Amino acid sequence: MIAEALHPGILFYLSGFLSLLAGLAIVNLHNRWQMDWQVIITVLGWPMTIGGIMCIVLPQVAIAIGSTIYSGRASTIVAALLTGTLGAFLSVKGYMRRA
């Protein structure tokens, strides 16, 4: 599925546009630079924005970077574990009752 997503086409440009849109929304609405866990959301917004721009403007570079990252089975597992761990952490923090 990853190999299919790394082919230039309408799906590739659509995913770049959606990444750009989500990244810009995060950067505009959640631009917090205090040193606590909320800075993770702001920091994630910038690579989403830059990645979306790269998918739209420089698709060959984005495909080369994606192919390098997902070239082996181990890197795919590491990326999935990092994404899952970060998602679980942000879910716990986001839904935790404030004291």
Side-chain angles (χ1 to χ4, degrees):
M1 194 159 55
I2 291 171
E4 279 296 315
L6 290 175
H7 290 282
I10 191 67
L11 184 61
F12 188 77
Y13 290 107
L14 179 64
S15 67
F17 176 72
L18 292 175
S19 178
L20 174 64
L21 190 66
L24 286 174
I26 291 171
V27 168
N28 284 325
L29 298 174
H30 196 280
N31 198 8
R32 299 187 182 156
W33 289 101
Q34 296 109 6
M35 293 308 287
D36 62 352
W37 68 270
Q38 293 179 353
V39 76
I40 296 171
I41 299 168
T42 304
V43 169
L44 287 175
W46 284 105
M48 287 175 69
T49 303
I50 294 167
I53 291 170
M54 284 190 63
C55 283
I56 295 168
V57 178
L58 301 168
Q60 296 304 325
V61 174
I63 289 169
I65 292 171
S67 297
T68 303
I69 291 172
Y70 294 109
S71 62
R73 184 166 188 237
S75 60
T76 305
I77 292 171
V78 168
L81 288 173
L82 285 174
T83 303
T85 303
L86 185 61
F89 174 76
L90 290 175
S91 293
V92 168
K93 287 300 214 175
Y95 290 106
M96 192 169 46
R97 184 178 294 183
R98 295 181 185 176

